[in-house]
Amino acid sequence: MWQRNQTSLADFILEGLFDDSLTHLSLFSLTLVVFLIAVGGNALTILLICADPRLHTPMYFLLSQLSLMDLMHVCTTIPKMATSYLSGEKSISFAGCATQHFLYLSLGGAECLLLAFMSYDRYVAICHPLRYTVLMNRKVRLMMVAMSWLGASINSLIYTAILMHFPFCGLRIIHHFYCEFPAVVKLVCGDVTVYEATVYISTILILLLPISLISTSYAFILHSVIQMRSAGSKRNAFATCSSHLTVVFLWFGACIFSYMRPRSQRTPLQDKVGSVFYSIITPTLNPLIYTLRNKDVAQALRRVLGRDMITKIL
């Protein structure tokens, strides 16, 4: 029994994303640059929303939570990958792998739910503008955020605890750059058919339920926009929703590609490509999309930069 526990708690080996070739060294450097842009962009978005009173609205409160999730997402996977590549030490402890698995699942699920709540926020703002402050009051906003974080965390905790309870065997090499579910479950010695089916169904629900809410919200929004007589009002409505829709397509597209394909059609390379997109590329693009396409955030950035310049001059 003791020997089995020792085997179960042994370290894993992360295969990583890059090798020692010059081409991969360049790609690794590019990944670090993208990582720094993601950290800087999301941190700046959070600071702007906290610092500027004009951004203390329901929409920007939810946006700050999205940026926090993206910030935590990239910090969950990339630092370990970079450390392993630079040091050559590819092992990750049992506890470290379990923690990484729990965090990335929690953050991914929370982002799915939050994007759905953000679509409801846009629905209320466009279809019921006079009741916006009532329907999206502080209590409602906090409930949305709490449901996103707690719901995803509980789901992730259950599946991580069950997965890490299975016996692992072989060389324990994870063909990935972090402890992602499909890569880890391949190392399990026992029968995981029922567990995989349960997780697959849960993943479909976590993805399809938010997609259904988002689709319903935007169906009502489109109906309301069509009935608008002013061309300017229509442009403002589409401009308000365009950033959110772009983020939704990027995030859910990558998640569906990564987790809703049959196991027989999955390859380690495809899993890595999908993971790179939703764990690195999407968190990097999100703050750029909201900053470049959102006048309020851009104006807040100019005000903060202008204030700093005045302070330095004085």
Side-chain angles (χ1 to χ4, degrees):
M1 182 67 179
W2 169 245
Q3 185 177 0
R4 180 182 175 183
N5 287 340
Q6 279 188 315
T7 304
S8 298
L9 296 177
D11 290 353
F12 294 94
I13 304 297
L14 291 172
E15 185 180 64
L17 195 58
F18 308 109
D19 56 32
D20 296 330
S21 66
L22 185 60
T23 302
H24 279 218
L25 178 60
S26 301
L27 290 174
F28 171 74
S29 302
L30 178 61
T31 302
L32 285 187
V33 172
V34 173
F35 168 72
L36 293 175
I37 294 173
V39 171
N42 285 291
L44 180 61
T45 301
I46 295 170
L47 291 174
L48 285 175
I49 293 172
C50 292
D52 196 321
R54 296 176 181 85
L55 300 182
H56 292 177
T57 63
M59 182 181 78
Y60 292 111
F61 173 71
L62 297 178
L63 175 59
S64 68
Q65 295 298 306
L66 179 68
S67 294
L68 178 60
M69 292 174 185
D70 285 336
L71 181 61
M72 293 178 65
H73 206 142
V74 293
C75 291
T76 298
T77 57
I78 305 306
K80 175 58 182 176
M81 182 272 290
T83 303
S84 298
Y85 181 78
L86 294 173
S87 66
E89 179 58 51
K90 295 186 176 183
S91 65
I92 182 171
S93 67
F94 180 88
C97 187
T99 302
Q100 195 177 61
H101 185 272
F102 166 75
L103 287 174
Y104 103 84
L105 270 187
S106 297
L107 294 165
E111 189 152 340
C112 289
L113 296 174
L114 185 67
L115 286 172
F117 289 133
M118 292 176 75
S119 70
Y120 174 76
D121 170 77
R122 292 299 82 210
Y123 157 73
V124 175
I126 294 173
C127 299
H128 304 282
L130 298 179
R131 301 175 60 196
Y132 181 67
T133 55
V134 176
L135 295 176
M136 289 297 297
N137 58 58
R138 186 172 183 272
K139 183 178 180 180
V140 172
R141 299 196 300 267
L142 292 177
M143 285 181 60
M144 287 179 171
V145 171
M147 289 175 63
S148 298
W149 284 102
L150 290 177
S153 296
I154 292 172
N155 179 74
S156 176
L157 180 62
I158 292 172
Y159 287 121
T160 301
I162 296 174
L163 176 61
M164 292 302 170
H165 182 72
F166 286 119
F168 297 96
C169 55
L171 298 177
R172 305 176 73 123
I173 298 176
I174 299 174
H175 297 288
H176 216 290
F177 62 97
Y178 66 93
C179 293
E180 190 185 37
F181 171 79
V184 176
V185 79
K186 290 178 181 178
L187 304 179
V188 175
C189 296
D191 183 14
V192 292
T193 305
V194 175
Y195 175 70
E196 280 191 294
T198 305
V199 173
Y200 187 73
I201 294 171
S202 173
T203 302
I204 291 176
L205 292 175
I206 290 176
L207 289 176
L208 293 188
L209 286 179
I211 289 175
S212 300
L213 178 58
I214 292 169
S215 301
T216 303
S217 297
Y218 276 102
F220 283 112
I221 289 173
L222 182 60
H223 180 265
S224 180
V225 169
I226 291 174
Q227 292 182 331
M228 293 179 180
R229 297 181 179 180
S230 170
S233 299
K234 291 183 179 181
R235 283 195 300 269
N236 290 335
F238 281 121
T240 302
C241 298
S242 60
S243 297
H244 179 257
L245 274 176
T246 304
V247 171
V248 165
F249 284 128
L250 288 173
W251 176 257
F252 282 100
C255 289
I256 289 172
F257 174 81
S258 296
Y259 294 108
M260 292 187 67
R261 288 176 298 135
R263 185 174 181 179
S264 59
Q265 298 180 11
R266 305 172 70 99
T267 65
L269 179 59
Q270 290 176 341
D271 288 341
K272 288 182 180 180
V273 171
S275 297
V276 165
F277 196 86
Y278 77 76
S279 65
I280 304 175
I281 305 299
T282 303
T284 304
L285 293 177
N286 286 355
L288 297 178
I289 291 169
Y290 273 102
T291 301
L292 296 177
R293 304 188 67 173
N294 191 296
K295 293 181 180 180
D296 293 335
V297 177
Q299 289 173 358
L301 178 60
R302 284 193 292 268
R303 283 193 293 268
V304 170
L305 292 177
R307 191 187 309 157
D308 291 342
M309 291 295 292
I310 293 173
T311 303
K312 289 181 181 180
I313 292 173
L314 296 177

